[in-house]
């Protein structure tokens, strides 16, 4: 079965962006990007692939799942086929979105749709964001990988929107990356285990 992996950048205090949704405060050390895109080249957006020399085939993910607000910057930048046309792009939205080539929209029963994605064939599914979607899917997340940036935002969009119920994860690893970023990996705790 495919896994749903919440792979996301965060501040030390657990925010994925400032209150307006801007994540440009996170430092972008070129060495950090190289390390991250060597690990998962498929997570490099199309508009940055050539500039950063990212040409490798996907290593872990063949599908990216995101909420409408996470998808919107690609639309605003004029990326007609989304930021990740090299992946199957799935956007969860409460309202209709303009049709875009290579972009699927989930409306309605989100849990059912995600369970069907996980039961399908292929590589793992990258949950790209955002906080509301991650909160709705908390019980379906198999792994969380946090790219913890050496920065305190003080306020902003949290990893999960408030209102989620407690859910246990087990720490797997912490890896220091260039630029002061720590990659922390957690696995969903098995119920009754």
């Amino acid at each position: 079965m495919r896994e749903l992996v919440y792979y996301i950048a965060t501040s030390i205090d657990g925010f994925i962006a400032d209150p307006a949704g801007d994540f440009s405060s996170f430092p972008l050390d070129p060495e950090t990007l190289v390390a991250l895109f060597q690990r998962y080249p498929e997570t490099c957006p199309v508009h940055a692939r050539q500039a950063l020399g990212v040409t490798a085939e996907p290593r872990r993910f063949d599908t990216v799942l995101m909420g409408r607000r996470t998808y919107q910057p690609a639309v605003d930048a004029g990326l007609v086929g989304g930021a990740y046309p090299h992946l199957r792009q799935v956007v969860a939205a409460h309202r209709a979105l303009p049709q875009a080539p290579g972009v699927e929209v989930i409306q309605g029963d989100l849990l059912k749709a995600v369970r069907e994605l996980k039961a399908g064939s292929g590589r793992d599914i990258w949950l790209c964001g955002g906080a509301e979607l991650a909160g709705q899917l908390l019980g379906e997340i198999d792994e969380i990988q946090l790219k913890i940036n050496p920065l305190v935002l003080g306020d902003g969009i949290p990893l999960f929107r408030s209102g989620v119920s407690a859910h246990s994860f087990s720490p797997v690893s912490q890896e220091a990356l260039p630029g002061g970023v720590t990659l922390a990996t957690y696995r969903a705790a098995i119920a009754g285990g």
Side-chain angles (χ1 to χ4, degrees):
M1 182 177 238
R2 302 165 80 191
E3 293 192 335
L4 182 63
V5 180
Y6 190 26
Y7 176 66
I8 194 157
T10 182
S11 62
I12 293 170
D13 53 345
F15 295 107
I16 61 176
D18 72 13
D22 182 11
F23 53 86
S24 64
S25 299
F26 292 151
L28 290 177
D29 184 305
E31 289 183 39
T32 306
L33 294 178
V34 167
L36 292 171
F37 295 143
Q38 282 177 346
R39 180 181 307 266
Y40 300 131
E42 61 271 33
T43 64
C44 184
V46 67
H47 62 281
R49 291 177 76 80
Q50 185 174 9
L52 297 173
V54 178
T55 59
E57 292 295 315
R59 294 211 168 97
R60 181 165 187 186
F61 308 112
D62 64 7
T63 303
V64 59
L65 173 63
M66 64 192 105
R68 183 196 55 77
R69 288 184 203 103
T70 301
Y71 170 68
Q72 190 63 43
V75 173
D76 295 344
L79 300 175
V80 177
Y84 306 99
H86 49 282
L87 298 174
R88 179 179 178 189
Q89 298 176 95
V90 181
V91 178
H94 296 293
R95 58 184 166 93
L97 294 174
Q99 288 188 343
V103 178
E104 302 170 38
V105 178
I106 295 175
Q107 289 183 288
D109 192 338
L110 177 63
L111 288 178
K112 178 182 177 194
V114 170
R115 287 175 181 150
E116 287 172 359
L117 278 174
K118 289 176 69 173
S121 62
R123 296 179 183 212
D124 289 338
I125 303 158
W126 170 29
L127 175 55
C128 181
E132 185 175 327
L133 183 60
Q136 291 173 13
L137 295 175
L138 182 58
E140 293 298 318
I141 295 173
D142 300 288
E143 184 174 291
I144 298 174
Q145 288 194 10
L146 301 177
K147 298 172 279 185
I148 304 169
N149 286 267
L151 170 73
V152 172
L153 288 178
D155 191 16
I157 298 174
L159 284 164
F160 298 92
R161 284 285 184 204
S162 62
V164 297
S165 56
H167 195 85
S168 294
F169 285 82
S170 300
V172 173
S173 64
Q174 284 197 48
E175 180 182 347
L177 300 177
V181 172
T182 299
L183 182 63
T185 302
Y186 303 88
R187 298 283 306 167
I190 299 171

